[in-house]
Amino acid sequence: MQAQPGDKVKLETTEGIFEGTLLPRPELLSNDITIIKLKTGYNIGIETKKIKKTTILETYKAPLAKKQAAKHNPELPTIAILSTGGTISSRIDYRTGGVYADYTAEDFVNMCPELQQIANIKASKIMSIMSEDATTTDWKTMAEAAVKELSHVDGIVITHGTDTMHYSAAALSFLIKDLNKPVIITGAQRSIDRGSSDAFMNMVCAVTAAAKWNGAEVAICMHATMNDDYCTLLRGTKVRKMHTSRRDAFHAINDEPLAHVKTNGTIEITNENYRKRNDAKPSVRKISNQVALIQVHPDMDLGIIEYHLKQKIKGIVIAATALGHIPITQKSLGPAIAKAAKAGVTTVLCSQTVYGRVHPYTYTNLRKVSMGLGVTYLADMLPETAYAKLCVALTEKDPVEFMKQNIAGEYTMRELDDSFLL
Ligand code: ASP
C-alpha cells in the first residue's frame, strides 16, 4: 500500500530515519521531494530518491469525536444548534495544509460537554460553507431552519463563519418576521483544533444567551475582549466585524451591546432596549439578490451603476462619504442614479464612516441627492445592514417604506457618542 498524505510514516533514507506525518507536496515543489511533518511540528523535505524504505505507521483518520446521545434533562431549556460552517466548524487538514469546514453542531456537543449542563442540545448541520461564500439563498435557508426549530425549542444558536457573520445577522433580523425567541449567532477566529481557539467559550456563551436571555432578537455572541473574560451580545442589525483576526473583532456600532455573557452562566444586561420573548408566530419573509452595494470613492468610475443596471439590478445601496456625500459636481453620479430611478431601482444611502449618521439636508449637494434624485437616506444604518435589508425590502409591497421603518433596531434614535470606538 502506498502512503497517502495524512498517514504517519517512517522513512528510511540515505540520510537517516525520519518519522512524521506525510504532507501533500505543494504545487510549487518538484515531484522529487517528499515532505513530512515531524513530531516537533517542523516540516522537512527529503529528496524522494534518497528514500530507501517507507513504512506506514498509521493511516490517516479524520479525528472526529465519538457521537453520544445525551439524556434529556427536563429541568433545562432546549436549544437548537444549527451549524453552517466557517472556522468554528473547521480543522486543519494535514493533507492539504488548509483549513476546511467539517465539524458539525453535533461534534461541538461532543467536544464541549459543558453545553449539556446549560441546555438540552438539538444539533444539526444545515450547510457547510465559509461565510465569504454565503448567498442570499443561504440566508433564507438559515432563516427557514431557525423558524422550523423555534416552535419546539427555547432558543437557537447558529454557528457561522465570522467574515460575513454580521451580514447574516442583519439578514436574519429582517427575514424572520415576528421573532419570539433569541437567535444567537456565534463563530470563532481560530479553529477548534488549535490550543488558542476561541470557539468553546463563544459556544458556551452563545448557548447561555439562547437559553437565558429574555430577548427575541437575532444577536451575535462573541468574545468581548482579547482575554477569555466574557462574551458580548450584539444586536444583529448594529454589529460589524472590525478586525481581521482579534478574538474581540465584533463590536456594536451606533448602539450599546445588549448584554455581557459569562461562562458561569450569568447574563448582565447592558441595554434594556430590546424586543422581549413573546408568543408571536414567526415566519420567513422573501429575499431578492438584485441589490448592489457600491462604495463611493474619489475619482470613481461612474460606469459602475450602468453596469449594475445592465444586470437588471433592482436596488442600490450607496456607501457614501461621511454625512452622505457622493460626487455630484465633477464626474457626477447624479445622471446614473436618475437613470436607475427611471428604471424602477430603489437607491438608498448610508455612510462609509460606519459610525454616525447621514444627514440629507445639511449641504446643498446632499439636498440635490436626497430631494433631487430621490435617494433615501438611512440615518445611522450600517451599509452591510442596509444591503441585507434592501434584499428583503425589494420583495415587500413598498420597498422604500420598508427601508424607512425600524424593523429590527437598525435605526438608533438616540445619539450614542459615548459608544464611539468602544
Ligand atoms: N473565512 C472564514 C469564514 O468566514 C473565517 C471565520 O470563520 O472566522 O467562514
Side-chain angles (χ1 to χ4, degrees), residues 112-127:
C112 188
E114 54 268 53
L115 295 179
Q116 291 171 37
Q117 278 151 29
I118 310 167
N120 296 297
I121 306 288
K122 206 171 161 269
S124 52
K125 169 163 140 184
I126 54 172
M127 63 187 77

Side-chain angles (χ1 to χ4, degrees), residues 196-216:
S196 58
S197 178
D198 47 338
F200 292 118
M201 182 173 142
N202 289 345
M203 279 295 284
V204 166
C205 291
V207 170
T208 301
K212 295 188 181 167
W213 183 50
N214 189 29

Side-chain angles (χ1 to χ4, degrees), residues 32-100:
D32 309 331
I33 306 285
T34 297
I35 305 165
I36 61 167
K37 182 177 279 300
L38 302 175
K39 265 198 200 127
T40 56
Y42 287 107
N43 296 351
I44 55 162
I46 300 161
E47 275 184 82
T48 309
K49 65 175 187 225
K50 290 188 178 162
I51 300 173
K52 291 186 294 184
K53 191 175 170 203
T54 302
T55 314
I56 301 176
L57 302 174
E58 204 183 312
T59 49
Y60 176 77
K61 277 184 222 77
L64 272 190
K66 273 195 210 133
K67 295 186 167 60
Q68 292 160 11
K71 274 193 219 115
H72 183 86
N73 180 344
E75 312 220 310
L76 292 179
T78 299
I79 299 302
I81 302 181
L82 312 175
S83 63
T84 68
T87 296
I88 192 165
S89 284
S90 299
R91 67 172 96 217
I92 300 167
D93 183 352
Y94 289 108
R95 288 169 303 185
T96 63
V99 171
Y100 69 112

Side-chain angles (χ1 to χ4, degrees), residues 213 231-234 256-261 267-271:
W213 183 50
C231 283
T232 175
L233 196 63
L234 307 160
E256 279 143 354
L258 294 164
H260 294 162
V261 186
I267 299 184
E268 190 187 303
I269 303 295
T270 49
N271 185 344

Side-chain angles (χ1 to χ4, degrees), residues 55-355:
T55 314
I56 301 176
L57 302 174
E58 204 183 312
T59 49
Y60 176 77
K61 277 184 222 77
L64 272 190
K66 273 195 210 133
K67 295 186 167 60
Q68 292 160 11
K71 274 193 219 115
H72 183 86
N73 180 344
E75 312 220 310
L76 292 179
T78 299
I79 299 302
I81 302 181
L82 312 175
S83 63
T84 68
T87 296
I88 192 165
S89 284
S90 299
R91 67 172 96 217
I92 300 167
D93 183 352
Y94 289 108
R95 288 169 303 185
T96 63
V99 171
Y100 69 112
D102 182 43
Y103 289 125
T104 64
E106 215 160 59
D107 297 324
F108 300 142
V109 179
N110 286 309
M111 289 186 284
C112 188
E114 54 268 53
L115 295 179
Q116 291 171 37
Q117 278 151 29
I118 310 167
N120 296 297
I121 306 288
K122 206 171 161 269
S124 52
K125 169 163 140 184
I126 54 172
M127 63 187 77
S128 188
I129 58 165
M130 286 293 172
S131 77
E132 56 271 30
D133 291 323
T135 63
T136 50
T137 310
D138 293 325
W139 294 344
K140 184 110 198 288
T141 304
M142 291 177 208
E144 281 168 351
V147 167
K148 205 168 143 212
E149 293 293 347
L150 277 168
S151 57
H152 44 270
V153 298
D154 300 287
I156 307 265
V157 170
I158 298 180
T159 62
H160 196 288
T162 59
D163 283 21
T164 68
M165 183 185 278
H166 50 298
Y167 284 87
S168 293
L172 295 186
S173 303
F174 301 118
L175 271 172
I176 306 177
K177 193 174 174 215
D178 299 324
L179 186 57
N180 53 353
K181 293 165 193 168
V183 174
I184 310 297
I185 309 182
T186 195
Q189 292 280 56
R190 282 180 184 256
S191 58
I192 275 177
D193 51 1
R194 294 179 195 226
S196 58
S197 178
D198 47 338
F200 292 118
M201 182 173 142
N202 289 345
M203 279 295 284
V204 166
C205 291
V207 170
T208 301
K212 295 188 181 167
W213 183 50
N214 189 29
E217 294 204 16
V218 178
I220 283 180
C221 186
M222 292 286 288
H223 265 65
T225 69
M226 289 281 279
N227 307 319
D228 291 341
D229 304 331
Y230 60 96
C231 283
T232 175
L233 196 63
L234 307 160
R235 193 179 332 261
T237 53
K238 303 297 281 183
V239 53
R240 200 166 185 279
K241 184 171 180 176
M242 300 298 281
H243 199 279
T244 53
S245 50
R246 280 171 65 123
R247 44 183 66 208
D248 58 347
F250 285 84
H251 283 257
I253 311 286
N254 296 323
D255 196 15
E256 279 143 354
L258 294 164
H260 294 162
V261 186
K262 302 201 173 132
T263 46
N264 66 6
T266 54
I267 299 184
E268 190 187 303
I269 303 295
T270 49
N271 185 344
E272 288 290 350
N273 178 23
Y274 61 92
R275 181 180 163 93
K276 307 291 181 299
R277 286 182 189 253
N278 60 75
D279 294 329
K281 208 170 169 301
S283 59
V284 181
R285 291 190 174 98
K286 295 196 187 76
I287 192 154
S288 158
N289 67 354
Q290 291 174 288
V291 179
L293 171 54
I294 298 175
Q295 165 121 340
V296 163
H297 58 86
D299 210 7
M300 69 187 286
D301 182 348
L302 303 179
I304 184 135
I305 293 189
E306 288 287 342
Y307 164 80
H308 284 297
L309 285 179
K310 280 200 194 111
Q311 308 303 310
K312 304 264 176 279
I313 216 80
K314 287 273 169 281
I316 297 175
V317 178
I318 299 181
T321 54
L323 288 170
H325 294 105
I326 62 171
I328 203 84
T329 312
Q330 294 194 72
K331 279 189 79 177
S332 174
L333 265 187
I337 292 177
K339 194 167 167 193
K342 233 177 161 185
V345 174
T346 303
T347 302
V348 298
L349 181 147
C350 32
S351 183
Q352 60 186 251
T353 62
V354 175
Y355 281 98

